[in-house]
Amino acid sequence: MMDFLHNYTFIYYIFIIAVSLLITSFAIPSILHVARFRHLYDDLGHFRKEHDHGIPRLGGVAIFVGFTITSLLFCMTDKSLPINYLLTACIILFAMGIKDDLSGVNSNTKFVIQFVVCAILVILGDIRLTGMYGVFGIYEMPYVVSAGLSILIILLVVNAFNLIDGIDGLAATTGITANGAFAILFIYIKQYELAAVSFAMAGSILGFLRFNITPAKIFMGDTGSLLIGLISAVMALKFIQVNMLTPNKLPGIYEAPALAVAILIGPIFDTIRVFVVRIANGGSPFVADRNHIHHRMLKLGFSHLQTTLILTAANILTIFMVLLLKEYGNTVLIILIVLMSMAFNWLITFFLRSKERESLALRNLFV
C-alpha cells in the first residue's frame, strides 16, 4: 500500500490531507461534547476576548491528534527530517499547551519549556540554519551562532502564532497558508517527505477550520497555536537549509530566505510590531493588549471573516511578489517585504485616525 502511494505522489499527498482532515473533523465533536459536559470554556472575563458566550478552547487537541497520527502513518523517516525529535518536541509542547488551556501556566515556565523544545530540535535534531545565502553579507555561520539564531527563530514563530490567535479563523488560515506553501515548495525541490509533513499539518488545521470559522464553535487554544507555530518554524528552517545542500552546493531556490520570510511575515511582523510599541510606551513587551493588527482592523469595522480574508490575501500576495521579483536577491526582497508590511500597518493607522477624527467631529457637532 505504501509503495503504491509513494509511486503516485499526487495520490499520496491527497491521502495525507484527507486522513489528517478526517481525523481532526471526527475528533472535534467528541471534544465539544466533553468540554460542554465538563464546562471547559474560554475565559469570557478577559479584556481581549471577542465573544460573549462560552466557547471551548481545546481544538488544538484535535489538530495534534490528526497531525501526529498522520505523520506516524504516512510520513516516512529519512535524513531530511528527524521525525523522532520533531514528535518529541510536539508532545512536550502539547502537554504544556493543554495544561495552559485548562488551568494556566506561569510565563516563566512557558519560556523554559519552549526553550527546551527548541534545544531538542536544534541541538539533538540538528534542525538549524548553517548559512544565510549572503543576506546582509552573511554566508556561513559558526555553530554557536547558527544554533542560537535557530532557537530564537523557532521561539519567535511559535509565540507569533500564539499571539495572532485572537479572532475566528486567523491562526488556522495562516497555518494552512504557511504549511501549504512550504509543501508546494518542497515538492518543487523534490523534498517529498518534508512536503508530507507540511501537508499533514495543513490537513489537520483544515479539519479544525470548519469549526473555527465565524461563528466559531471551538478555539484551538495554546495547544493548537503553539503546535502550528512549531511545525511552521521547523518547515521554514528546513526549507532554507535543504536548498543549500544540493549536490553542486548551489541553492535549489536562491530566494529561499525571502520566501520563508514572506510566508511567515504576518505573525512575525505583528509580534515584533506590538513588542516595539509596548516597549516604546514604557510597558512590558509581554503584557497583553488589543493593539494587534487584527484587533485594529476590527476597530475599523471589519468582521472576523473579513479581517482573516484580507490578512490571508495580503500574505499570499507577498509570496507571489517574491516569486515575481526573485531576480532582485534576498536582501532587497526581505527589505521590500518589511517595507510593504510597514506600509500596510500605516494604512490601517491612517484609517483609524480618520475614523477617530470623524467620531470626534460628530460628537462636537451635537454638543
Side-chain angles (χ1 to χ4, degrees), residues 79-80 126 128 130-131 133 189 191 194 237-253:
K79 293 182 180 179
S80 65
D126 201 35
R128 60 187 177 88
T130 60
Y133 293 69
I189 59 176
Q191 293 289 333
L194 289 170
L237 293 179
K238 293 303 295 184
F239 173 63
I240 296 172
Q241 184 63 20
V242 295
N243 271 286
M244 295 188 291
L245 300 178
T246 52
N248 57 6
K249 300 300 180 183
L250 294 175
I253 300 178

Side-chain angles (χ1 to χ4, degrees), residues 29 33 66 96 197 225 231 265 360:
H33 173 75
M96 184 195 75
V197 175
S225 60
I231 300 303
I265 188 61
L360 183 61

Side-chain angles (χ1 to χ4, degrees), residues 17-39:
I17 294 171
V19 170
S20 58
L21 187 154
L22 288 172
I23 291 173
T24 306
S25 297
F26 282 121
I28 286 180
S30 296
I31 293 170
L32 285 170
H33 173 75
V34 172
R36 287 165 183 159
F37 183 73
R38 296 291 183 182
H39 302 287

Side-chain angles (χ1 to χ4, degrees), residues 120-294:
I120 289 172
L121 292 171
V122 173
I123 297 172
L124 299 181
D126 201 35
I127 299 172
R128 60 187 177 88
L129 297 180
T130 60
M132 289 294 291
Y133 293 69
V135 175
F136 303 118
I138 301 171
Y139 289 91
E140 293 185 7
M141 293 184 290
Y143 178 81
V144 174
V145 175
S146 167
L149 178 61
S150 300
I151 288 173
L152 286 175
I153 289 172
I154 298 174
L155 279 171
L156 173 62
V157 177
V158 165
N159 286 285
F161 269 89
N162 185 229
L163 291 174
I164 65 165
D165 185 29
I167 62 173
D168 297 345
L170 180 57
T173 306
T174 305
I176 292 169
T177 302
N179 285 278
F182 282 129
I184 293 168
L185 291 167
F186 281 134
I187 293 172
Y188 177 76
I189 59 176
K190 297 180 173 57
Q191 293 289 333
Y192 300 116
E193 298 304 333
L194 289 170
V197 175
S198 292
F199 275 133
M201 175 51 72
S204 299
I205 305 171
L206 195 59
F208 162 81
L209 183 60
R210 61 182 287 247
F211 297 93
N212 183 241
I213 208 72
T214 303
K217 297 180 179 66
I218 192 169
F219 299 145
M220 67 173 64
D222 283 9
T223 308
S225 60
L226 295 176
L227 178 64
I228 295 170
L230 181 72
I231 300 303
S232 300
V234 168
M235 292 300 102
L237 293 179
K238 293 303 295 184
F239 173 63
I240 296 172
Q241 184 63 20
V242 295
N243 271 286
M244 295 188 291
L245 300 178
T246 52
N248 57 6
K249 300 300 180 183
L250 294 175
I253 300 178
Y254 280 93
E255 66 278 13
L259 271 172
V261 172
I263 290 169
L264 298 175
I265 188 61
I268 288 175
F269 177 78
D270 185 54
T271 298
I272 294 174
R273 187 191 66 81
V274 295
F275 276 21
V276 169
V277 170
R278 290 169 188 173
I279 293 170
N281 291 334
S284 167
F286 305 106
V287 175
D289 57 28
R290 291 178 55 83
N291 192 34
H292 291 278
I293 288 176
H294 53 268

Side-chain angles (χ1 to χ4, degrees), residues 1 14 27 55 188 190 212-213 215 219 241 246 252 318 334 349-351:
M1 176 64 175
I14 293 297
I55 298 176
Y188 177 76
K190 297 180 173 57
N212 183 241
I213 208 72
F219 299 145
Q241 184 63 20
T246 52
T318 305
I334 290 172
T349 302
F350 173 79
F351 284 121

